[in-house]
């Protein structure tokens, strides 16, 4: 999100800087493909989950921004943002990116409880407002913090210049893209696939994504246990390769147990690919706009959606893909999103911090 948003804001002549954390992917070439506002990737030490970057604080104070927009929680960056508010009194906006959802809070709960006591509570209390990408995420924020100001603005998506193959040339592949993690529900998808694979011999399922915690081996073991022959765990896909893979799929699957937005959905829609998403994601618009399925993250429901989708005639699937692309372009363009964020920054710069409001901890 940060790349597309800051690129669009910079195009509107907003003076914006991006402070992030250096990782192997950045050094391996991500820096060359970065299209957002001027970035600085800072070296970290210790556990990557905490993201301790000693130079983050000094760099932020040297920049002397008028407003700070914090993306994500439970890391050293929250402490730095808190110190900036305490020292300058400047406005802080926080985008939790789904990290206050009950499902997300259950992961690494002990570490989060410690961070919460040390500085995360104070950081949240010092914020002047919050950004959510969906109504469901806004509810999670208020459930955790009480009656706080939350602006709902979806993530944006860029149109791709990848040439979309004619529909008949697309392989009969169902694609899932995302970090390999239990919350993504890929185990549910594989168990659902086991129920339909024998009925659709011409189809395949591929799950691709980065695997920082080794969860991919668990999924491969499940494939072997279920004796699946047309289900595969693939490597992560980035940039143009990612766009090409999306444009070559017949269907995209998002079986998550919890998701605040999932940028992969509008990316798939932009590619003209219909989507099957779980009701634990904010994508009821798939059915409202006739470009996909929105079902419970349960094996029975996912299996039924897969069977229905794969039984849908090619012409109908193609029309669903075209309708989804039109909807995504009209709703999630970065230029439109940037206008809303500009108004948000201006609004929150005039409000008081939420210190003293009721917070559930």
């Amino acid at each position: 999100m940060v790349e597309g948003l800051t690129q669009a804001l910079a195009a509107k002549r907003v003076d914006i800087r991006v402070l992030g954390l250096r990782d192997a992917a950045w050094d391996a070439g991500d820096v060359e493909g970065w299209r957002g506002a001027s970035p600085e990737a800072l070296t970290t030490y210790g556990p990557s989950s905490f993201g301790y970057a000693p130079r983050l604080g000094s760099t932020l104070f040297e920049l002397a921004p008028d407003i700070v927009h914090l993306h994500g929680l439970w890391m050293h960056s929250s402490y730095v943002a808190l110190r900036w508010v305490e020292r300058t009194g400047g406005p802080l906006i926080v985008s939790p990116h789904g990290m206050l959802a009950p499902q997300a809070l259950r992961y690494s709960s002990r570490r989060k409880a410690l961070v919460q006591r040390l500085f995360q509570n104070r950081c949240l209390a010092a914020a002047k407002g919050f950004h959510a990408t969906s109504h469901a995420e806004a509810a999670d924020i208020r459930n955790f913090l009480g009656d706080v100001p939350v602006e709902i603005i979806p993530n944006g998506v860029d149109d791709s210049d990848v040439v979309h193959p004619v529909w008949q040339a697309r392989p009969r592949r169902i694609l899932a893209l995302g970090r390999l993690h239990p919350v993504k529900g890929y185990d549910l998808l594989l168990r659902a696939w086991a129920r339909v694979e024998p009925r659709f011999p011409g189809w395949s399922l591929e799950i691709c994504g980065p695997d920082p915690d080794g969860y991919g081996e668990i999924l491969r073991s499940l494939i072997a246990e279920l004796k699946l022959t047309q289900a595969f765990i693939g490597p992560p896909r980035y940039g143009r390769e990612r766009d090409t893979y999306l444009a070559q799929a017949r269907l995209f699957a998002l079986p998550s147990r919890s998701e605040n937005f999932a940028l992969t959905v509008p990316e798939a829609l932009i590619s003209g690919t219909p989507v099957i998403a779980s009701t634990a994601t904010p994508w009821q618009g798939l059915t409202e706009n006739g470009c996909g399925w929105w079902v419970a993250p349960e094996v029975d429901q996912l299996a039924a959606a897969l069977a229905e989708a794969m039984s849908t005639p090619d012409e109908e699937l193609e029309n669903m893909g075209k309708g989804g692309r039109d909807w995504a372009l009209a709703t999630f363009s970065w230029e439109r999103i940037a206008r809303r964020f500009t108004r948000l920054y201006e609004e929150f710069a005039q409000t008081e911090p939420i210190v003293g409001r009721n917070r559930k901890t």
Side-chain angles (χ1 to χ4, degrees), residues 163-355:
V163 176
H164 298 175
V166 296
W167 190 261
Q168 289 74 16
R170 293 191 182 207
R172 295 184 180 276
R173 180 173 60 225
I174 299 171
L175 179 64
L177 281 174
R179 180 171 57 109
L180 304 186
H181 189 279
V183 76
K184 295 296 184 179
Y186 294 139
D187 58 318
L188 302 175
L189 181 61
L190 288 171
R191 293 186 185 279
W193 178 254
R195 298 191 180 186
V196 300
E197 184 184 79
R199 296 167 49 194
F200 298 92
W203 287 77
S204 65
L205 169 66
E206 186 166 349
I207 300 170
C208 301
D211 187 16
D213 303 314
Y215 187 62
E217 284 308 308
I218 295 176
L219 295 176
R220 290 184 181 93
S221 295
L222 182 58
I223 289 174
E225 175 190 330
L226 296 171
K227 296 181 172 57
L228 302 176
T229 61
Q230 294 300 317
F232 311 95
I233 306 300
R237 312 282 178 177
Y238 300 112
R240 189 173 183 84
E241 181 188 20
R242 175 194 185 94
D243 293 343
T244 300
Y245 232 60
L246 284 166
Q248 291 177 346
R250 291 283 179 114
L251 295 163
F252 181 81
L254 180 71
S256 296
R257 292 179 168 90
S258 176
E259 199 80 54
N260 69 299
F261 185 76
L263 189 58
T264 50
V265 170
E267 287 175 339
L269 295 175
I270 288 288
S271 299
T273 304
V275 174
I276 299 172
S278 81
T279 52
T281 73
W283 286 102
Q284 59 267 40
L286 293 171
T287 56
E288 295 169 357
N289 290 276
C291 52
W293 291 259
W294 194 54
V295 299
E298 300 169 0
V299 173
D300 289 347
Q301 296 278 343
L302 289 168
L306 288 169
E308 181 179 338
M310 289 187 288
S311 299
T312 301
D314 283 353
E315 183 178 357
E316 186 175 341
L317 277 181
E318 184 177 14
N319 288 334
M320 291 175 69
K322 290 178 179 177
R325 174 174 166 79
D326 291 343
W327 174 46
L329 289 174
T331 307
F332 305 108
S333 72
W334 273 122
E335 196 279 333
R336 177 175 178 174
I337 301 301
R339 287 202 306 268
R340 296 184 62 183
F341 267 105
T342 300
R343 291 194 295 268
L344 175 66
Y345 295 152
E346 293 171 347
E347 174 187 346
F348 280 161
Q350 306 300 320
T351 61
E352 296 299 318
I354 63 172
V355 173

Side-chain angles (χ1 to χ4, degrees), residues 34-102:
W34 176 263
R35 297 174 298 171
S38 178
E40 183 163 356
L42 303 167
T43 301
T44 63
Y45 299 88
S48 59
S49 60
F50 186 64
Y52 174 59
R55 290 190 52 247
L56 180 58
S58 60
T59 304
L60 178 62
F61 284 106
E62 287 171 8
L63 288 174
D66 297 312
I67 189 168
V68 168
H69 187 167
L70 175 66
H71 293 264
L73 306 174
W74 315 118
M75 299 180 74
H76 175 238
S77 53
S78 289
Y79 174 75
V80 172
L82 169 64
R83 294 290 297 140
W84 180 80
V85 173
E86 291 175 338
R87 187 177 299 183
T88 69
L92 169 67
I93 295 175
V94 177
S95 292
H97 292 299
M99 296 182 185
L100 293 179

